[in-house]
Amino acid sequence: MNVLIVEDEMSLARELEIFLSNANYLCELCHNGKAASEKIAINLYDFILIDLGLPDCDGLDLLKDVKTHNPEASCLILTARAEVYDRIKGLDLGADDYLPKPFSMLELQSRMQAITRRKFGLKHTTLKLGEFVIDMNDRSITYNGNIISTITKKEYDLIAYLILHKNRTLTRPQLSEHIWGSVVNDDYDSNYIDVHIKNIRKKLSVHAQPDWLETVRGLGYKIKI
Amino acid sequence: MALKLQTKLTLFNTISKLAIVLLFVFLLPMLIKNINHTYNDGRFRKQEAKLLQIVKDQGIGVYIQNGEGYGAYLPLKEEYILLDEADSNYNLDTIRNEKRKVEKDTIEYRILSHTFKVGNKNYLLEIGKSVSTLDETSGPLQSIALQILLGMIMLTILADFFFSNYILGPLDIIIKTKLIAHKFPNFGSYQEVKTSTADFKYLDKSIHQMIETIESTFQKEREFISNASHELMTPISILQSKIENMFNRDDVVDELKIRLIEMQKILNRLKSITKTLLLISQIENEQFIKDDTIQIKQLLQDVYDEISIRLEEKDIALNMNITDDVALQNVNKFLLYNLFFNLINNAIKYNKEAGEININSYIHDGTLVVEILDSGIGISAEQLPFIFNRFKKFRQSLQQESFGLGLPIVKSIADFHKIRINVTSQLNVGSTFTLVFPNYNSITQKSIIQ
């Protein structure tokens, strides 16, 4: 998949490139609107990540270029200026999603994957984990064909996020940010993730041992597939 | 006791006029007496002159024959005239009050006594008028004067009242429209108060300028917070991505990864603070749209789902007693969610192990009231007024750190929705946060589109 990263902060653009390249995306960078317009007019991209705070143009104008020359591309707006009107305007102009800065790159990746799933209408996204089956559409976990109803929404979110970044250790801060990210509150450094994981294990072990859910000592958790 | 300027002016006018009138009425008899006596004395002199003229023209014999004195009384003895010979060295020319005995009655007379010579004889003329007839008009005059003057006072007070009402009207308008507590400082369109009084014009303009200054200061502060938090976002973003990429590298040993996680935690803290400041500034800059309709019960349920793990952690029982089918209209769901999350989160954070939280709602006076009661450590009376101030940290949370922005978020969201918050608390017993929602609708479950 080809990704165009339009971001005037060189170092952030560079980090995005490293991360997405590791996730097997092919990345191109540009740091201003003019260069971006040219690239959009010449090449075809699957994803275009646009920073709204470009020095020489309004990122929202780029969206119009994208609609003209790259109608198939999915646009993600990245912005520190997360003003509600910008958000609405961006989505109205056909952006597929938007991420306020600062964001976790894991979050970016999961948004990009969600867009891909929507785009290609991947309906049957079931996954076998040991003796459990995870259904990404129903957001359910089944054992022997029976849905485990004790698993809460939050617990499922946690499992889904770990599956999305399978075989990669996710740290507690990363997991917290995904789980509590939408809420603005004044807690930090809570150990609730551990409590959640403990509960998930307890609920699943009633049926079978979830060995695939690993604790990486001192670092965090991962799901091995 | 503070009185209004108009009341004070009217009171002063009334009292001063009344005092002057009473003084006048009190002095009236004396004045009348003086006037009467002066007038009367003038009359005496005229009569004396007439009489002397007669004597001069026609001789003394007209009145006195054979040494017999002349005397004449009015029937009721209120006036008399007397002409008689007098001792040759007797010399008088006075007008004074004297008592005279007239047929058993002692009557006080005002008497003109005048001696004059005709030939070599000395004569004495006395003209008298009883004092009581002189002064008899003063009583009725006094009461008439009092009535007339009181009437006049009433009239002038009324006139004063209407005039001061008219003249002080603009001041009233300035106070009512621009200075009453909940309207000050009233940012918005400036409406000049119509007045022809220069002082009020000046006052009105000054207040307006003051409000403009305050407004621009507020605006600057809001812009500063907004810009500062926006500007912080980018470097935080860069740091975060650098840490994440480093963490994913295979050549970084676990020892270093643990350090990176510590950095990540600190960065998360920085993010939280910045995000919170940004949220507050966005709320204050009215960057949010209030067009959601939510059911309070559902919203609290969502918060509960999110937060239940924290309740379990401390073994806290949460009891909800929420009115069904109450919906809030024209609100922002995201913000209200955050408001309740923070309040309930605080109720957990500052609670005791195995404590409890009660959330009740009821309709009171046409408004929806939601109460959140906890059995926690409470807030002391001296700290209570400051709990909504940013970065105030005084309650020692039993479990984890906070940076003192939870309640400021709550406050700005509440203000944005015009929700009134009342807090009562007792140390070591618990706190109660009461929210009063101005506009709600009772609607059935079905008509809500979730």
Side-chain angles (χ1 to χ4, degrees), chain B residues 306-325:
Chain B
E306 181 103 8
I307 219 164
S308 56
I309 191 110
R310 303 180 184 208
L311 292 161
E312 283 169 35
E313 180 83 338
K314 282 180 85 171
D315 189 24
I316 291 168
L318 177 76
N319 313 306
M320 285 208 221
N321 184 3
I322 303 298
T323 338
D324 273 330
D325 66 28

Side-chain angles (χ1 to χ4, degrees), chain A residues 80 83-84 104-105 177 187, chain B residues 230 244 264 271 287 310:
Chain A
E83 308 297 10
V84 75
S104 161
M105 288 192 292
E177 192 184 340
D187 281 357
Chain B
H230 274 129
E244 281 186 328
Q264 223 166 25
K271 261 171 80 168
Q287 287 266 325
R310 303 180 184 208

Side-chain angles (χ1 to χ4, degrees), chain A residues 9 11-12 15 18-19 80-85 88 101-106 154 168-169 171 173-174 177 179-189 191-192 195-196 199 218-219, chain B residues 227 230 233-234 236-238 240-242 244-245 247 257 261 264-265 268-269 271 275-276 282 286-287 289 306 309-310 312-313 334 338 341-342 345 349 400-406:
Chain A
E9 284 287 340
S11 50
L12 183 59
E15 295 301 327
I18 294 169
F19 180 87
R81 289 240 162 236
E83 308 297 10
V84 75
Y85 303 111
I88 290 165
K101 286 180 187 176
F103 52 86
S104 161
M105 288 192 292
L106 299 171
K154 280 271 165 252
R168 168 183 281 171
T169 303
T171 64
Q174 283 173 328
E177 192 184 340
I179 293 286
W180 313 99
S182 65
V183 186
V184 182
N185 70 354
D186 75 341
D187 281 357
Y188 44 85
D189 196 13
N191 58 348
Y192 298 124
V195 182
H196 272 305
N199 287 349
L219 300 183
Chain B
N227 290 335
H230 274 129
M233 288 304 190
T234 304
I236 292 173
S237 211
I238 297 167
Q240 182 169 8
S241 53
K242 278 187 187 297
E244 281 186 328
N245 276 338
F247 190 85
K257 285 189 177 178
I261 292 176
Q264 223 166 25
K265 280 182 182 168
N268 268 8
R269 186 167 153 184
K271 261 171 80 168
K275 256 169 90 172
T276 307
Q282 283 176 336
E286 310 221 325
Q287 287 266 325
I289 298 164
E306 181 103 8
I309 191 110
R310 303 180 184 208
E312 283 169 35
E313 180 83 338
F334 167 79
N338 272 288
F341 186 95
N342 275 287
N345 193 34
K349 212 163 38 174
Q400 71 226 73
E401 290 296 331
S402 76
F403 45 76
L405 282 175

